[in-house]
Amino acid sequence: MVPRLKRPLKVPFLLKEDFMVYQNQRGTYDAFDEEALNIENVVETLKDIVKFYGYNPIHTPLYEQTELFARTSGESSDIVTKEMFTFIDKGGRNITLRPEVTAGVIRAIVNNKLYATKDLPLKYYYYGPTFRYERPSKGRYRQFNQFGVECVGVNSYLSDVETISLGFNALQTLGFENIVLKINTLGDEESRKNYQVALREFFKDKIQNMCDDCKRRYETNVLRILDCKDPEDQEIIKDAPKMKDYLNENSKEYFTKVISLLDEQQIPYEIDDNLVRGLDYYSHVVFEYHYYLKDGTSIGAIGAGGHYDNLVSEIGGPALSSVGFAIGIERVNTLLKELMPESLEKTSLDVYIIHMGEETLQTSFILMQELRNNCFKVDMCLENKSLGQQFKIANRKNAKFALIIGENEMKSYVYPVKNLKTTVQEEVDYHDLIDYLTNKIVFEEEEEC
Ligand code: AMP
């Protein structure tokens, strides 16, 4: 016997011959409603914090000439050799979507001679998309957003510590309690050169057994071998000479000052001898912020940065020591969702206006606009719907109050206002409406907090 279907079969959606389903590109994502709201909240919190440290916003283009990144990140960096989205535009220019933001910020500072017209250090924060052609995984996208700061034009360990603690405090404010700050020094140019000689010597008879990337790094920038994630290579790397044994007096003293001021401020850190960072422009202090989940796993650094001395002069400006970091917004958001799902904000409304019949639509609409002008978040259904349907929508939209307008209410100017959480309903005169909602929404909520 043929089993009877409980529900009728749905008629399959018929595809037109030329119909095509467009998917977002690999390594990209769509965010909407709660997800998008929480990303925006993270960014707003970060903006609020950096303003306490004297930072102003800077906006730079999403694309620059390829040469800028090749020059600043280093021809041999992973970013430049493997990860850039590069194309020739219609005018024949070689263009790259920014794989990081620092180079563009420094270019803008040099082009606009900001170092000559403003007090140093220049302190800028930025937020926006960055593009890297990486293998997508959890917390790793091809288009992702960075929030970062650059403090340009002061050569003092104080600005390094200020910047490191800013990132640390910002992540704490976002809710990360046990941030692990990893820190290392790459020393000054002289120290780095001596260290590179020692590393070349160490890897000379081992490099043929290491991965292809390491072989390339051995030729182009031996320091980067320390960054290799291949487990077999890491076994070899752990016995490599350490930077700290090749620091000259000046570099040692600089790093000691940074470390003791971090101690003084009770900012916990781990010195990681193998932390070198992927870009060519760093000197002295480099750092990363990590967060480990209870099972000990991590989705990679949530933020990272370092001190740089030659970047401004490298692209035509004066020699200006600088320091900065970038925080990956997607990684922050992924972790917050996992760690504190209950604390994430839901999309909501203050009032949902519920109308009863065609005649009440326009009055409802005018009242909605009036309430919006008085800073309440209000919405309504713009076509006739049943009372039940409208209440369902009000609940789905997390409205705090439903304000009901029928023909009688239109005439009397007295509206039933229902608290959708407690279900308590009160009659409110039109003239008292703003005060009533202000008391209920602003003051009573503050008391609840
Ligand atoms: P970096 O410039 O590589 O030090 O990156 C700074 C921060 O951006 C990292 O600590 C991550 O949080 C974030 N980030 C880097 N690459 C990616 C990626 N492919 N997807 C998502 N976030 C990333």
Side-chain angles (χ1 to χ4, degrees), residues 79 99-100 130 132 134 139-146 277-279 281-282 288-289 300-305 325-332:
I79 285 188
E100 55 98 35
T130 15
R132 291 184 196 170
E134 292 193 82
R140 189 169 295 282
Y141 297 91
R142 289 184 173 167
Q143 176 177 336
F144 56 99
N145 289 288
Q146 286 191 335
R277 314 271 302 113
L279 306 167
Y281 49 68
Y282 290 117
E288 286 183 351
Y289 305 102
I302 16 182
F325 67 72
I327 289 176
I329 297 300
E330 285 72 13
R331 292 200 187 164
V332 167

Side-chain angles (χ1 to χ4, degrees), residues 116-168:
T117 52
K118 294 182 184 283
D119 292 317
L120 296 181
L122 302 164
K123 283 178 153 186
Y124 288 117
Y125 74 84
Y126 59 80
Y127 165 67
T130 15
F131 305 84
R132 291 184 196 170
Y133 197 82
E134 292 193 82
R135 183 189 292 271
S137 59
K138 192 176 179 193
R140 189 169 295 282
Y141 297 91
R142 289 184 173 167
Q143 176 177 336
F144 56 99
N145 289 288
Q146 286 191 335
F147 181 96
V149 301
E150 307 297 342
C151 174
V152 177
V154 64
N155 191 11
S156 162
Y157 71 100
L158 291 178
S159 67
D160 291 351
V161 176
E162 185 190 34
T163 309
I164 295 169
S165 39
L166 166 56
F168 189 84

Side-chain angles (χ1 to χ4, degrees), residues 38 67 86 105 169 171 219 221 252 285 287 298 324 340 365:
N38 282 297
E67 168 62 20
T86 297
V105 170
N169 292 339
L171 290 170
E219 297 304 329
N221 185 346
K252 255 189 228 164
V285 185
F287 53 92
S298 143
M340 307 166 232
F365 183 85

Side-chain angles (χ1 to χ4, degrees), residues 161-361:
V161 176
E162 185 190 34
T163 309
I164 295 169
S165 39
L166 166 56
F168 189 84
N169 292 339
L171 290 170
Q172 272 194 331
T173 310
L174 285 172
F176 296 104
E177 276 173 15
N178 299 312
I179 287 292
V180 176
L181 166 64
K182 295 191 178 183
I183 188 165
N184 192 20
T185 177
L186 303 178
D188 60 10
E189 225 168 311
E190 183 188 77
S191 310
R192 260 191 325 279
K193 277 199 180 125
N194 291 337
Y195 183 45
Q196 278 165 341
V197 171
L199 283 180
R200 290 186 141 270
E201 191 52 37
F202 173 82
F203 286 115
K204 197 165 71 184
D205 54 358
K206 303 177 179 66
I207 195 69
Q208 57 275 18
N209 302 322
M210 297 178 78
C211 73
D212 287 347
D213 276 341
C214 283
K215 290 192 181 102
R216 183 174 50 80
R217 290 167 181 147
Y218 184 81
E219 297 304 329
T220 53
N221 185 346
V222 68
L223 258 179
R224 288 227 178 81
I225 293 182
L226 304 183
D227 239 356
C228 182
K229 303 285 178 286
D230 183 306
E232 284 178 25
D233 289 353
Q234 276 182 351
E235 271 305 298
I236 303 176
I237 292 167
K238 76 178 180 357
D239 298 324
K242 304 291 177 222
M243 179 78 225
K244 61 175 183 260
D245 299 321
Y246 293 84
L247 295 174
N248 58 20
E249 280 314 307
N250 175 32
S251 304
K252 255 189 228 164
E253 194 191 338
Y254 194 100
F255 194 51
T256 309
K257 281 183 180 164
V258 170
I259 292 299
S260 33
L261 192 50
L262 287 174
D263 285 335
E264 184 81 27
Q265 291 197 90
Q266 297 180 343
I267 295 184
Y269 56 84
E270 281 175 11
I271 297 181
D272 179 346
D273 292 320
N274 288 337
L275 182 65
V276 288
R277 314 271 302 113
L279 306 167
D280 260 1
Y281 49 68
Y282 290 117
S283 48
H284 289 295
V285 185
V286 286
F287 53 92
E288 286 183 351
Y289 305 102
H290 288 258
Y291 190 88
Y292 294 93
L293 294 167
K294 281 211 179 82
D295 60 5
T297 58
S298 143
I299 53 170
I302 16 182
H307 175 110
Y308 48 96
D309 286 320
N310 300 326
L311 192 52
V312 187
S313 55
E314 184 76 23
I315 57 177
L320 291 177
S321 291
S322 311
V323 56
F325 67 72
I327 289 176
I329 297 300
E330 285 72 13
R331 292 200 187 164
V332 167
N333 190 48
T334 305
L335 285 172
L336 289 180
K337 271 195 306 190
E338 241 168 90
L339 294 173
M340 307 166 232
E342 69 294 337
S343 70
L344 297 179
E345 191 183 331
K346 299 220 165 17
T347 52
S348 66
L349 288 172
D350 293 325
V351 180
Y352 197 77
I353 297 185
I354 293 190
H355 40 78
M356 293 160 72
E358 196 72 39
E359 314 68 43
T360 56
L361 264 173

